Amino acid sequence: HRQPKQQAPDQDGVKETLELVEGILRPWRKTEHGYCDPKLGIVLWTRLELIAQHLRVFKATGYLNWVGCSEQVAVAAGRGKALARRLQEWLIDLAQDKTAIPTANYGPKNQSILADEHIANDIHLHLQTKGKYVSAGHVV
């Protein structure tokens, strides 16, 4: 059972980090009222939303029970203690370094590998050599 590197951020750190994350998730439009699309991939958007939820729950409980709040958010997301520990790590890192956004290393904007034209063409060529009837086994 791995513990976070540091203690929970203080009240000011929580407020600053929550403002930062909410600003990334919901950037204001420059010319109109309301928010614009942050253009985040689904993995990064989900991570930031979970971070914001953890901060909100922690703040609502009077800044008590850091670990319990992360576990509550993880359970609400349908996950378990592993996600709770990751939330704690991401938040501590982000509170200490505002540029430490938890990245999602799944390619540009989380696109499918088939978005790569060269790979898609290679797959098409391979499938064409299999004849008229192709099954999933030919792709794997």
Side-chain angles (χ1 to χ4, degrees):
H1 177 38
R2 198 170 121 211
Q3 294 295 322
K5 298 180 272 192
Q6 305 268 334
Q7 294 291 344
D10 61 14
Q11 290 182 16
D12 290 335
V14 169
K15 290 175 185 174
E16 290 171 8
T17 306
L18 184 56
E19 285 179 19
L20 171 72
V21 171
E22 287 177 338
I24 294 169
L25 288 169
R26 293 168 197 83
W28 285 102
R29 293 178 187 264
K30 293 186 191 308
T31 57
E32 301 174 29
H33 297 290
Y35 305 108
C36 61
D37 181 3
K39 297 186 181 1
L40 302 173
I42 188 69
V43 174
L44 179 56
W45 182 87
T46 301
R47 288 179 181 179
L48 291 173
E49 193 60 51
L50 288 169
I51 287 171
Q53 290 174 20
H54 182 198
L55 290 169
R56 289 182 199 116
V57 170
F58 187 56
K59 188 176 170 185
T61 61
Y63 304 96
L64 301 172
N65 197 0
W66 172 254
V67 173
C69 290
S70 67
E71 290 174 352
Q72 184 179 15
V73 170
V75 167
R79 305 284 295 280
K81 291 186 185 247
L83 176 61
R85 284 190 297 274
R86 293 295 297 182
L87 281 170
Q88 295 166 38
E89 292 169 9
W90 291 333
L91 271 164
I92 289 167
D93 290 344
L94 192 55
Q96 292 174 349
D97 177 4
K98 301 301 185 217
T99 64
I101 306 295
T103 59
N105 299 322
Y106 301 114
K109 297 289 183 194
N110 302 327
Q111 289 181 348
S112 165
I113 194 168
L114 296 176
D116 184 333
E117 190 175 319
H118 298 292
I119 293 174
N121 284 337
D122 289 344
I123 292 171
H124 286 120
L125 288 172
H126 173 73
L127 293 176
Q128 287 173 353
T129 66
K130 298 302 174 187
K132 187 175 181 180
Y133 301 102
V134 178
S135 69
H138 290 113
V139 177
V140 178

